[in-house]
Amino acid sequence: MAISRRAFLKTSAGIGTLAAFEVNLGANSALMNAKSIKFVPSVCEMCSTRCPIEVEVVDGKCKIIQGNPKFSSNKTSVCARGGAGVNQLYDPKRIVKPLIRVGKRGENKWREASWDEALSYCATKLNEIKEKYGPQSVVFTSKTGESHTQLMNFACSYGSPNIFSHWSCCPITYNIVLNQTYGGGLSRDFANAKYIVNFGHNLFEGIVISDTKKVAKFANREDTKLLVLDPRFSVIAAKADEWLPVRPGTDLAFVMALIHVWIRDGKYDKKFVEKYTVGIEEVIKAVKDTTPKWQEAITGIKAKDVERIADEIYAKAPEVIIDWGHKTTTTRAEYQRTRAIAIANALMGNFEKKGGIFFGKSAGTFNKLCAEELFPTLANPDAGFKVPKTPRIDGCGEEGSKHFFIPRKHGVLMDIAPAILSQKPYPIKGWVSTRFNHLINVASTDEVVKAIDKLDFVLSIDVYLNDFANLADVVLPEATYLERDESIQNKSGTAPGYYMRNKVVEPIAGTKSGYEIFRELARLMKIDEGYTWKDINEYRMQQAKGNDKLIADLIKNGYVNWKVPQVYYREPKFVAKFVEKYPNATKFVDENGEMSSQVKFKTPSGKIELFLENVEAKFPGEGCINPNHMDVFGGHEFCLMSGKTAIHTNGHTQNIPILNHLMDQSPVWINPKAAKQKGFKDGDTVILKNKFGSVKATLMLTEGIREDTLFVYHGFGHVTPDLSDTNGMGTNQSVILDPADGVVCGTMVTNVGVDIIKA
Amino acid sequence: MKKYVMVHDENLCIGCQGCSVACRNENNVPDGVYRLQVHMKMSGTFPRLKTDFIRQSCVMCEESPCVTVCPTGASFKTDNGITLVDERLCVSCKYCLLACPYDARFVDPITKAIGKCTFCFQNRLSAGKEPACVTVCPTDALVFGDVNDENSEVSKLIAKKNVEYPKAHLNTKPSLGFIKNTKGGRYE
């Protein structure tokens, strides 16, 4: 692009690439001569985990990021992406001024505009669409988090029900399954488990520091076992006590065989199942024929290994975790795979047990237990915003729709492009996206590009002129997380805790946060009657219900908690310690020393639902586990999988110089035997092809993958012209993904059958 | 007198490169050179595989060839065992680069002086902080401290685990040790 939006580097002394030249003086003399050094506690946003961090600011410039030592699960730890937050902040490729398109869509011709002009332009365009087609004809997409909340508030004010988060292309399945089966989200006590079964949940590349630290230490212990099933020798597979290179997409068969063995041999926690669950009869029926022998032909794992592993796990129960993972997008049977995992955990009786799984306990829960308001609870300033009840383009939450069970604030991303192109169920004319690169993250990239071209107005809010932003009419430069004050967030686990993102430096060249952008836009459009707050300070104060000490603590420390003894309701030792400190809780203790009255499941039956009557009623056959829809080859020779690298976050970080230098390519993994058979050499350029499309790839020969499987790190293959270091590097797998979603959860499937041909 | 030692546990290391990014930002390391790298090396034949995680940086030899060969005295050892370069005396003759058996030094592309890992001596140790790589490591694979203090974490680790030293046969007596990787895929 022609304009000099990078001029901010020249005017802000001592930042950005100039930093490299400071080395002339020596890092040390710079530090010794520094006028001011301060440490600002905040919250990371380089991935979706959001670890508490602390930033060292020297003379007004962010120098280094480390973990916030006050958060004991992480201490000072931070990953490569987290550490690179500084480099994103000062990346000369960042956009810092609002841009309005002047050429054809996607031509990368822009002019800079003032915030006033850009926001008025957006308001005019959005009002025009609303008048002509109704508010439902604008779709809103974002990644999950505070930006999603602010986008949602605005969409609700505008009147559109078509709100989407990134859920359907990543964590939707486990969120819905745990909710349906247990009535809420669950935590995993990785630190105290004795046995962990891991289905490719690669915590050593898709890093969540608190969990990664625990699992690394778990894997390093002599008295524990980490079993990893993954078609690829991932980093977590490399740390496993046993690695099973399972045939892609078939974990479900393995879990169903485990359940078969446990039931056949009576080796499951019968007392727990009787007291706390419903539907075991249906499970018994469902796994009657799913023997270890049956699964052998499907998974490639020997029957005798399944028998041995079933016994091993039961011997360690309840200190076992059968991990449901995070990116739950393996096959169209993903729902049943995750359901089988949820059921397997219940059979091991590990719920509310040390080393098992448990409900996170917030301040409210502890106040109830202690019968006293000991811990501050938060109010929700956004409670008034409701997703409009008008029909959505994907039918989420609507009677008679295949997406009935999907939350209306998360939606099914794959339905957006078809709705635009077909104008069904009604015309879509606008798209507002904040920090979500739909072209890289969602199936059918080519269709999405065609669809965007049909729109009257596209607004992208981003840090970069990324692939989606490049197709927009207006791009608003969002402040990076290091330049934003945000709200108080719940960080409770075994004990209540809160954390808060604090501005570390003033926004470069006046970029704005999601809170500011959407609030201002709503005010400008006079649709802000639902907003109870004017700015982030009011927002925080409302959340804290006027508790200024809580806010002051969070500004000073970034994270606050109260020394509360851990409690697992079904562990008498923990319960005893808890009531010793909080005697009011004694009334909840049973004769056997547990707090079983507190074990409550917010399900229709009030119990763990091994069989789901409500799902069965809407989707006959899906109420209990079934082994259908596991195939991910679709008649092709290979299955292409994708996954996370520790260096990048999805499609967002490829251009950040320090990370780009660590990893600027993403070749496709192939086993040397498979390559030899096809006549391919290391480094060959090939085409991956199926009925959904074709995409160029570079092959990397490695022993670390099955002969029938290919693997690529997700997030590469950008086409955005402005980011020259990333443009054309690596493969965007979304181009060839099957847009058909999984049952019940609408999950996008990231395993797909492909053939390889010479380029 | 303190003697600083660092231990890299290859079993805990996940090759995430958090240390590398922290090192670059803390020490303003220019593009194209590095004070610290972690190499991931997969070996074996499917499905009998292992991946090793190897730290590559200055090992702070007690008997430092780089110090011995330095003609100007720019390369020197501190009393607590850290090898440093005094940029004022360095003439960038590169003898130390050739002498170093650990390939741990580089010519700074901007200053042309010799660069290397310093255990963050001036910028962090002198302020009572650990080296940046140790501070940020997500899995606590790096342990750093005074080996002359028997209560230090690093002393306790050395007493408990078998700590090896790279290229021990060269008798340079490194102060950067490692705990060898024992993990690997064993499926038949």
Side-chain angles (χ1 to χ4, degrees):
Chain A
M1 55 188 283
I3 52 169
S4 61
R5 63 181 155 79
R6 278 154 217 135
F8 76 90
L9 278 174
K10 292 181 196 132
T11 52
S12 313
I15 58 164
T17 48
L18 295 177
F21 299 103
E22 280 178 12
V23 95
N24 273 316
L25 307 167
N28 320 317
S29 54
L31 195 71
M32 280 168 205
N33 298 333
K35 287 182 209 79
S36 81
I37 298 173
K38 61 173 181 170
F39 294 88
V40 183
S42 193
V43 177
C44 189
E45 197 184 63
M46 293 302 285
C47 79
S48 297
T49 302
R50 293 178 173 76
C51 296
I53 54 167
E54 185 179 83
V55 188
E56 184 180 359
V57 184
V58 179
D59 287 343
K61 191 200 161 201
C62 290
K63 179 173 174 63
I64 185 168
I65 296 174
Q66 62 176 47
N68 182 348
K70 298 203 167 62
F71 184 63
S72 62
S73 305
N74 288 30
K75 298 204 183 73
T76 52
S77 297
V78 78
C79 69
R81 300 167 300 185
V86 173
N87 311 89
Q88 175 184 263
L89 172 66
Y90 298 127
D91 186 351
K93 275 288 184 183
R94 248 188 87 182
I95 41 172
V96 292
K97 292 271 198 256
L99 301 173
I100 294 177
R101 175 168 68 84
V102 290
K104 282 189 211 141
R105 181 164 280 156
E107 206 179 22
N108 197 29
K109 286 188 179 155
W110 308 91
R111 68 175 175 87
E112 278 182 3
S114 68
W115 276 95
D116 280 350
E117 188 198 353
L119 287 173
S120 320
Y121 184 68
C122 294
T124 308
K125 285 298 197 180
L126 289 169
N127 276 332
E128 270 174 26
I129 293 177
K130 198 198 288 202
E131 274 164 35
K132 226 166 148 185
Y133 303 98
Q136 74 288 348
S137 53
V138 177
V139 294
F140 293 84
T141 56
S142 96
K143 71 196 179 83
T144 321
E146 286 179 70
S147 53
H148 179 246
T149 309
Q150 295 316 311
L151 173 100
M152 199 159 58
N153 292 346
F154 179 81
C156 294
S157 306
Y158 182 73
S160 174
N162 290 311
I163 302 163
F164 298 80
S165 80
H166 85 292
W167 267 30
S168 53
C169 67
C170 189
I172 196 167
T173 324
Y174 86 82
N175 279 303
I176 289 184
V177 162
L178 295 182
N179 209 33
Q180 287 182 341
T181 312
Y182 287 81
L186 289 162
S187 302
R188 295 156 284 202
D189 184 13
F190 289 125
N192 294 306
K194 287 281 158 54
Y195 201 114
I196 296 175
V197 187
N198 175 300
F199 298 94
H201 182 200
N202 192 357
L203 274 167
F204 296 163
E205 290 182 90
I207 293 175
V208 175
I209 301 256
S210 55
D211 288 342
T212 299
K213 199 185 278 292
K214 286 175 201 146
V215 174
K217 288 178 180 175
F218 170 93
N220 203 26
R221 274 163 56 190
E222 296 294 330
D223 60 338
T224 58
K225 177 157 179 180
L226 173 62
L227 171 69
V228 171
L229 282 84
D230 196 329
R232 174 178 82 100
F233 195 61
S234 63
V235 178
I236 199 157
K239 300 293 186 185
D241 295 291
E242 184 174 0
W243 168 52
L244 300 175
V246 61
R247 189 171 153 87
T250 64
D251 305 335
L252 169 60
F254 175 84
V255 186
M256 286 183 80
L258 285 181
I259 297 173
H260 171 93
V261 174
W262 290 330
I263 286 173
R264 183 197 69 198
D265 298 349
K267 288 180 172 173
Y268 64 96
D269 190 335
K270 293 189 202 72
K271 274 194 194 146
F272 178 83
V273 167
E274 198 178 313
K275 186 166 179 190
Y276 293 112
T277 76
V278 293
I280 185 69
E281 305 75 25
E282 277 87 352
V283 174
I284 292 170
K285 268 185 259 163
V287 300
K288 193 163 72 64
D289 300 322
T290 65
T291 63
K293 196 75 205 157
W294 164 81
Q295 70 81 48
E296 185 172 301
I298 299 168
T299 65
I301 298 166
K302 292 193 180 77
K304 68 173 169 53
D305 288 324
V306 177
E307 297 276 1
R308 168 178 56 81
I309 288 162
D311 284 349
E312 276 177 13
I313 297 171
Y314 181 64
K316 295 287 183 191
E319 292 164 301
V320 301
I321 295 167
I322 304 159
D323 186 355
W324 46 83
H326 182 83
K327 179 174 167 259
T328 37
T329 58
T330 55
T331 73
R332 295 195 60 229
E334 183 60 65
Y335 175 65
Q336 294 302 350
R337 180 186 90 124
T338 312
R339 275 275 293 152
I341 290 170
I343 291 166
N345 278 294
L347 295 180
M348 291 299 100
N350 61 359
F351 180 74
E352 286 291 337
K353 283 284 193 185
K354 184 184 165 200
I357 60 177
F358 60 96
F359 282 144
K361 294 170 186 73
S362 65
T365 307
F366 277 101
N367 286 338
K368 222 163 59 193
L369 269 186
C370 304
E372 230 181 305
E373 288 293 308
L374 293 175
F375 314 105
T377 54
L378 298 183
N380 178 11
D382 299 327
F385 294 105
K386 299 274 184 258
V387 180
K389 292 215 160 63
T390 46
R392 288 176 56 103
I393 51 172
D394 54 10
C396 288
E398 289 161 23
E399 205 58 59
S401 161
K402 66 172 181 167
H403 295 149
F404 175 78
F405 288 104
I406 297 166
R408 284 170 70 82
K409 58 181 186 179
H410 294 296
V412 177
L413 290 159
M414 299 79 75
D415 284 6
I416 297 176
I420 296 171
L421 291 167
S422 67
Q423 306 213 33
K424 280 176 189 152
Y426 48 75
I428 293 295
K429 296 291 174 182
W431 191 333
V432 176
S433 177
T434 176
R435 283 287 299 279
F436 185 73
N437 197 342
H438 201 95
L439 273 61
I440 299 285
N441 295 321
V442 182
S444 309
T445 308
D446 295 344
E447 292 296 292
V448 174
V449 174
K450 276 184 219 156
I452 292 172
D453 203 40
K454 303 265 184 252
L455 297 174
D456 290 354
F457 179 67
V458 181
L459 165 61
S460 172
I461 299 162
D462 208 319
V463 173
Y464 289 106
L465 204 42
N466 221 323
D467 308 71
F468 184 88
N470 186 54
L471 299 179
D473 298 285
V474 177
V475 185
L476 298 177
E478 192 187 26
T480 69
Y481 65 99
L482 296 171
E483 305 159 296
R484 305 200 298 249
D485 279 325
E486 293 194 341
S487 69
I488 306 168
Q489 295 287 315
N490 187 12
K491 191 76 180 157
S492 304
T494 50
Y498 295 107
Y499 69 165
M500 190 166 82
R501 178 170 289 137
N502 291 309
K503 193 192 283 183
V504 178
V505 289
E506 285 304 315
I508 286 176
T511 56
K512 290 181 195 289
S513 73
Y515 282 85
E516 293 166 309
I517 293 170
F518 287 114
R519 182 72 188 84
E520 280 186 37
L521 201 51
R523 187 184 292 128
L524 205 60
M525 292 171 69
K526 299 193 174 64
I527 53 170
D528 66 335
E529 60 278 4
Y531 286 81
T532 57
W533 49 276
K534 286 194 194 69
D535 59 27
I536 190 66
N537 290 327
E538 279 189 22
Y539 192 99
R540 285 173 167 181
M541 197 50 101
Q542 279 190 36
Q543 277 190 299
K545 301 176 196 165
N547 183 346
D548 52 354
K549 188 183 173 304
L550 176 65
I551 295 176
D553 276 359
L554 284 164
I555 290 173
K556 181 164 172 264
N557 297 315
Y559 169 76
V560 293
N561 70 342
W562 296 267
K563 293 257 174 294
V564 180
Q566 260 177 287
V567 57
Y568 302 100
Y569 295 138
R570 297 181 57 238
E571 289 283 7
K573 265 191 195 164
F574 284 79
V575 168
K577 269 227 165 112
F578 188 82
V579 295
E580 200 181 294
K581 183 155 180 192
Y582 301 107
N584 285 348
T586 312
K587 64 180 170 200
F588 298 118
V589 183
D590 315 336
E591 316 88 72
N592 59 9
E594 296 182 7
M595 283 186 175
S596 55
S597 62
Q598 297 309 294
V599 179
K600 286 175 193 148
F601 304 98
K602 288 181 194 155
T603 55
S605 62
K607 296 193 171 188
I608 299 171
E609 303 212 337
L610 307 181
F611 175 77
L612 297 163
E613 248 177 63
N614 51 354
V615 172
E616 185 66 25
K618 298 244 183 306
F619 301 98
E622 301 296 345
C624 202
I625 35 177
N626 68 66
N628 306 329
H629 309 301
M630 264 188 288
D631 177 56
V632 285
F633 285 82
H636 293 277
E637 203 172 349
F638 296 96
C639 166
L640 173 67
M641 313 191 308
S642 67
K644 308 276 185 201
T645 155
I647 316 279
H648 290 292
T649 298
N650 301 338
H652 182 68
T653 59
Q654 280 74 16
N655 199 75
I656 298 172
I658 201 167
L659 298 179
N660 186 275
H661 292 155
L662 277 168
M663 182 180 188
D664 64 351
Q665 287 286 349
S666 179
V668 169
W669 295 30
I670 185 170
N671 186 286
K673 277 191 194 143
K676 194 176 171 194
Q677 209 181 15
K678 305 288 296 173
F680 294 128
K681 296 188 303 296
D682 193 58
D684 273 359
T685 305
V686 295
I687 306 282
L688 306 176
K689 203 172 164 27
N690 59 22
K691 67 176 174 183
F692 309 108
S694 64
V695 66
K696 216 182 236 186
T698 306
L699 291 181
M700 180 186 89
L701 269 55
T702 170
E703 291 286 344
I705 194 154
R706 288 171 59 98
E707 280 179 52
D708 58 1
T709 310
L710 307 172
F711 172 82
V712 67
Y713 282 117
H714 172 66
F716 285 81
H718 292 256
V719 292
T720 186
D722 193 54
L723 302 177
S724 46
D725 287 344
T726 53
N727 186 2
M729 303 303 237
T731 300
N732 178 8
Q733 188 218 15
S734 296
V735 174
I736 50 169
L737 287 182
D738 182 350
D741 57 2
V743 288
V744 183
C745 287
T747 194
M748 191 179 92
V749 175
T750 58
N751 284 352
V752 70
V754 290
D755 291 325
I756 311 178
I757 55 171
K758 274 207 159 47
Chain B
M1 180 61 63
K2 284 182 177 174
K3 181 172 188 296
Y4 290 115
V5 167
M6 187 185 290
V7 176
H8 175 235
D9 190 335
E10 295 184 356
N11 294 292
L12 281 169
C13 179
I14 54 172
C16 73
Q17 313 296 337
C19 52
S20 167
V21 168
C23 173
R24 302 194 81 85
N25 281 331
E26 172 67 34
N27 298 299
N28 289 330
V29 180
D31 292 347
V33 292
Y34 56 88
R35 290 181 171 209
L36 150 65
Q37 283 190 324
V38 174
H39 296 168
M40 287 164 70
K41 196 171 146 270
M42 195 189 290
S43 54
T45 311
F46 182 92
R48 294 184 159 276
L49 299 163
K50 67 172 185 139
T51 301
D52 292 323
F53 299 81
I54 304 147
R55 181 184 165 109
Q56 164 73 35
S57 70
C58 174
V59 301
M60 307 290 177
C61 308
E62 223 173 286
E63 306 292 335
S64 318
C66 56
V67 172
T68 313
V69 301
C70 180
T72 65
S75 277
F76 69 104
K77 301 278 309 174
T78 67
D79 293 342
N80 32 37
I82 297 172
T83 310
L84 297 175
V85 181
D86 184 339
E87 285 185 20
R88 293 168 305 179
L89 299 176
C90 179
V91 293
S92 202
C93 67
K94 308 185 192 69
Y95 285 168
C96 57
L97 262 78
L98 294 169
C100 173
Y102 299 94
D103 198 18
R105 294 179 159 228
F106 57 87
V107 180
D108 187 304
I110 296 162
T111 65
K112 309 298 176 200
I114 301 303
K116 66 182 284 296
C117 167
T118 59
F119 278 173
C120 295
F121 179 76
Q122 300 102 311
N123 39 338
R124 292 180 71 91
L125 287 196
S126 59
K129 292 191 280 187
E130 292 185 314
C133 56
V134 179
T135 300
V136 302
C137 177
T139 58
D140 304 327
L142 292 168
V143 176
F144 179 84
D146 177 13
V147 80
N148 288 337
D149 171 6
E150 60 182 27
N151 290 319
S152 72
E153 212 188 321
V154 79
S155 292
K156 285 188 215 159
L157 184 68
I158 291 169
K160 202 168 67 186
K161 295 256 187 176
N162 184 25
V163 175
E164 297 179 49
Y165 295 90
K167 300 187 182 175
H169 61 280
L170 298 175
N171 283 322
T172 61
K173 299 183 189 158
S175 301
L176 171 66
F178 62 94
I179 297 169
K180 206 177 164 72
N181 177 36
T182 58
K183 298 278 182 187
R186 295 188 197 98
Y187 189 68
E188 353 146 62

